[in-house]
Amino acid sequence: MPGSRTGRPPVQRAARRPAAARPARGRPLQVLYLRARRAWDRPLTAYYLILGGSLLITVLGLVMVYSASQITALQMALPGSFFFRKQFLAASIGGGLLLLASRMPVTLHRALAYPILAGAVFMMALVQVPGIGVAVNGNQNWISLGGSFQIQPSEFGKLALVLWGADLIARKQDKKLLAQWKHMLVPLVPVAFLLLGLIMLGGDMGTAIILTAILFGLLWLAGAPTRLFVGVLSIAATIGVILIKTSPNRMARLSCIGATEPQSGPVDCWQAVHGIYALASGGIFGSGLGASVEKWGQLPEAHTDFIFAVTGEELGLAGTLSVLALFAALGYAGIRVAGRTEDPFVRYAAGGVTTWIVAQAVINIGAVLGLLPIAGVPLPLFSYGGSALLPTMFAIGLLIAFARDEPAARAALAMRQTRFGRKRAGGPAPDLGPRRWNTMRRRASAARSSGER
């Protein structure tokens, strides 16, 4: 072997391996998927989804309430912005309640459970007192506050059942009493039936269905046995069938499922059919904001129960899918908060709030689409109605507080405060180590519950 100029043997270099062929199209998609999955799994994802999703739904709801209610207000000889101003006032008060609930500790939420339940039961009983209760659309579930302001106590009954039920089940779990069926049902089911009875005295079966969904959501989260769960469900279904069969109005609503043309006779399905007309005329991107035709007296309750139909007509399929995506993100975030917490009360309360919002959205949208009977329940955070908006925004504040209280989220928020130069009172900020999401997730993994999903 010939030597080099320096007299040393030449260095033997290993042969280079041929470069592996990189897929031109598959790799960018894979990288994008990994980045999206990494971002989706960050500790503050649920926090941002709940806060951002609820605010977007509320703001879009204000816009659609203003658009859908103008004609109704003018027909009532009122200013065109009358309903919008009332909804904006309710949203402003609800925003304060949301902020208050998001900053309250969990112990204070638990302490408020019994006072809220007692207040809700008292107000729901007042509805049935002659001279105090007010009937709206055949249902006597309102209390007049003077002028055009009214309150529906049954809406606060939903919040009361969530907080009180979550506190009750959490206490029984700490005492290891949930293995006995009597402790699983009593007094949760009797108190829920008391609320349902007060609601049904006024004839509001839509709100009763939502309250029943919350009850079953709490029982499912508590781990009720299948036989017990099916038994309570059978009793509730039997009572529901009896209430529907004995009411011509409810039977008429049930017969309008899937109707596409108005019918002649006592059941004309006018509202259900014109809701379908509004959705069908919207197309992909809608006729434009404010350009709805059905809201000109053709579609009843355009700004309340059937605001989703006006949204489909003015914003099209893109607008309705956006609303559905926001509710889906809100539901996912609630499930994530309930699944990752180590506090039983937080798990039950977060699951109850998520069941409440998702079930009410499904019932409202299903009725507008003609897939479910018209139950007369508003679309959460979206439809007009301060009585429904205030407790719902307080419940959203609960979810935000629970999402912030997650160990990994607390670490992320503390690191963010340090990053922006904010120091806690009493000394320098604690050393949190490398500012990496994966590091925080590893530190918080030990504090997560065994039921993490």
Side-chain angles (χ1 to χ4, degrees):
M1 179 180 296
S4 62
R5 295 181 180 179
T6 59
R8 298 176 181 177
V11 179
Q12 298 292 332
R13 298 180 178 179
R16 294 182 178 180
R17 297 180 179 180
R22 298 180 179 179
R25 297 181 180 179
R27 186 174 180 80
L29 293 178
Q30 184 180 5
V31 171
L32 182 62
Y33 168 76
L34 292 177
R35 288 180 178 177
R37 184 176 180 179
R38 191 179 301 115
W40 192 257
D41 199 35
R42 288 180 176 177
L44 292 176
T45 297
Y47 170 75
Y48 287 130
L49 283 178
I50 297 170
L51 179 61
S54 59
L55 290 180
L56 285 175
I57 295 173
T58 305
V59 171
L60 182 58
L62 287 172
V63 174
M64 295 310 305
V65 165
Y66 180 64
S67 175
S69 65
Q70 292 183 56
I71 307 304
T72 303
L74 293 175
Q75 289 175 344
M76 300 171 63
L78 298 171
S81 60
F82 176 78
F83 293 104
F84 168 76
R85 286 181 293 176
K86 290 184 63 177
Q87 186 75 354
F88 183 79
L89 176 62
S92 301
I93 299 175
L97 292 176
L98 185 149
L99 182 61
L100 178 64
S102 65
R103 295 295 179 178
M104 289 168 55
V106 175
T107 54
L108 185 54
H109 286 302
R110 299 188 68 168
L112 289 176
Y114 283 85
I116 292 178
L117 177 65
V121 172
F122 177 73
M123 289 192 300
M124 291 168 67
L126 282 181
V127 171
Q128 307 304 324
V129 177
I132 298 179
V134 178
V136 177
N137 294 331
N139 296 335
Q140 187 168 344
N141 285 294
W142 298 81
I143 295 177
S144 178
L145 300 179
S148 61
F149 291 93
Q150 297 176 341
I151 187 172
Q152 187 176 5
S154 57
E155 293 291 341
F156 295 89
K158 304 172 185 176
L159 178 63
L161 181 60
V162 168
L163 285 177
W164 177 80
D167 178 71
L168 175 70
I169 299 175
R171 292 178 186 273
K172 292 195 174 188
Q173 179 175 334
D174 293 339
K175 297 179 180 179
K176 303 184 184 302
L177 297 175
L178 293 180
Q180 305 176 28
W181 68 269
K182 59 180 181 179
H183 286 288
M184 178 76 71
L185 297 180
V186 180
L188 177 62
V189 174
V191 171
F193 278 16
L194 171 63
L195 296 174
L196 290 171
L198 291 174
I199 293 174
M200 289 308 301
L201 284 177
D204 188 3
M205 191 169 183
T207 304
I209 293 175
I210 305 301
L211 214 65
T212 304
I214 295 174
L215 172 63
F216 285 117
L218 292 174
L219 289 176
W220 182 80
L221 290 170
T226 304
R227 292 180 298 176
L228 190 64
F229 196 85
V230 173
V232 177
L233 181 61
S234 301
I235 295 174
T238 303
I239 296 175
V241 170
I242 295 174
L243 292 174
I244 293 175
K245 289 287 187 179
T246 55
S247 173
N249 183 33
R250 298 189 186 109
M251 288 297 298
R253 293 185 179 186
L254 192 64
S255 63
C256 290
I257 296 178
T260 57
E261 293 183 1
Q263 304 172 9
S264 59
V267 181
D268 55 6
C269 302
W270 181 272
Q271 187 179 25
V273 170
H274 280 272
I276 297 295
Y277 287 172
L279 291 172
S281 60
I284 302 297
F285 298 105
S287 57
L289 193 63
S292 170
V293 175
E294 291 294 331
K295 69 182 181 182
W296 287 77
Q298 299 295 325
L299 180 62
E301 307 295 338
H303 61 295
T304 55
D305 300 344
F306 271 69
I307 194 172
F308 188 76
V310 179
T311 303
E313 186 178 5
E314 294 187 351
L315 303 182
L317 181 64
T320 55
L321 290 181
S322 299
V323 174
L324 291 176
L326 289 173
F327 276 109
L330 196 60
Y332 165 79
I335 294 174
R336 175 169 171 166
V337 171
R340 294 195 172 193
T341 184
E342 57 186 7
D343 190 336
F345 171 78
V346 173
R347 180 180 299 111
Y348 299 134
V353 171
T354 305
T355 303
W356 164 14
I357 295 177
V358 173
Q360 187 164 328
V362 168
I363 292 174
N364 178 276
I365 296 174
V368 174
L369 295 176
L371 302 176
L372 295 174
I374 300 175
V377 296
L379 189 59
L381 302 173
F382 202 83
S383 297
Y384 170 79
S387 295
L389 185 61
L390 294 181
T392 305
M393 294 195 74
F394 187 89
I396 294 295
L398 284 176
L399 290 180
I400 294 175
F402 298 156
R404 289 168 57 93
D405 195 54
E406 186 182 344
R410 286 201 305 265
L413 291 173
M415 187 193 73
R416 177 159 300 179
Q417 291 177 356
T418 305
R419 178 180 299 175
F420 286 97
R422 300 176 183 175
K423 296 183 179 180
R424 297 179 180 178
D431 185 14
L432 296 176
R435 297 174 181 176
R436 295 176 56 190
W437 292 103
N438 291 336
T439 304
M440 290 185 300
R441 289 181 58 209
R442 285 196 297 268
R443 289 183 177 183
S445 60
R448 292 180 182 174
S449 65
S450 60
E452 177 181 349
R453 295 173 176 85

